[in-house]
Each structure stands twice: as structure tokens, then as C-alpha cells.
Amino acid sequence: MYRLIGTAASLASQDVGSMVDRAKRSAIVYAIAAVLLLTAYAFVMVVVYQLLADAVGSGLDAALLIAGATALVAILALIVMALVNRRQKRMAARRNAARRMQLLALASVAPSLMRSKPLLITAALGALAYFALNNSDDGDD
């Protein structure tokens, strides 16, 4: 819920029309670049197929080699992505644990601050609210 308030305030302070125009331009340029890159990839695969067919002697063997290499690269990419995701989850868990510890430490100090000056009470309550909002604002969970 707090994320929506920040997003709404950010949108209200910007020119939505120019933002939409920029997004449309970016989408068109990315689409053209994607089509051109896919075309280049297809031509490279045709050349690799021809070279392998000449070297191996059979078109079927060349196609199987290309398919196997492509599958191997895809599997490696999936493994790398799984490792990166697992590392990111662990880091998010550590950050959340550190935030909880900070919040707990602040909460344990709060009763002693309640007996002291009003400025310290205000600062402690502000810090408590900050850590509570920061803890619930993390989208990595």
C-alpha cells in the first residue's frame, strides 16, 4: 500500500504525456532491434549449419550438433539464473534479519527513552516508524 502512495505522488509530479511518448518510442526501437537481432541470429545459424554439414558430411548430423549446443547453452543459462536467484534470496534474507535486529534494538531502548526528554522520544518513534516502513517496503521477499 505504501508503494502505491509513492508511485502516485511520483506520477502526479511528472508529465504523463511525455512519459507515454517516450515509452512508445522505446518500445518501437526495441522491437526493431529485436527483429534485426533475430534475423542476424538466423543467418549465423544457417552459416554454422553449412560449415558443420561440410565438415561432418551429413546435414542431419550438423542439425543435431547445433540443437545439442543450443540446448546446452540454454541449460547453462538456466543454472546460472537459478544460482543468481538463490544468492539474491539469501542476501534479501540477511538484509531483513539485520532490519529486524535494528528494530528490536530500537524497541528495547524505547522504554528507557520514554523517561527522558521529549525530543528523544520523538526521534525514537520516528526511527521506529522508519524501520517498520523500510522492513515492509522490501519487494524481494
Side-chain angles (χ1 to χ4, degrees):
M1 183 66 186
Y2 293 113
R3 287 183 227 156
L4 293 176
I5 293 171
T7 304
S10 174
L11 283 175
S13 67
Q14 293 180 356
D15 182 20
V16 177
S18 67
M19 199 165 54
V20 169
D21 290 340
R22 187 171 45 245
K24 285 180 185 177
R25 274 194 311 270
S26 295
I28 290 170
V29 169
Y30 286 141
I32 291 171
V35 167
L36 292 175
L37 285 172
L38 286 173
T39 304
Y41 176 76
F43 279 110
V44 166
M45 286 294 111
V46 168
V47 169
V48 168
Y49 172 78
Q50 286 296 323
L51 290 173
L52 280 175
D54 290 342
V56 175
S58 170
L60 182 61
D61 291 340
L64 288 174
L65 281 173
I66 292 173
T70 304
L72 180 66
V73 169
I75 289 170
L76 288 174
L78 290 173
I79 289 171
V80 167
M81 196 59 177
L83 291 173
V84 167
N85 285 343
R86 186 168 29 146
R87 181 174 181 242
Q88 192 173 17
K89 273 187 177 181
R90 276 186 292 174
M91 290 174 63
R94 285 185 190 142
R95 274 194 314 269
N96 287 338
R99 285 183 185 153
R100 280 189 219 107
M101 289 299 291
Q102 290 171 346
L103 188 60
L104 207 87
L106 187 60
S108 68
V109 172
S112 66
L113 288 178
M114 291 298 201
R115 289 180 238 128
S116 67
K117 299 178 184 173
L119 183 60
L120 290 176
I121 295 170
T122 306
L125 291 177
L128 187 66
Y130 172 76
F131 284 124
L133 288 177
N134 247 359
N135 194 21
S136 67
D137 194 38
D138 197 7
D140 292 334
D141 293 337

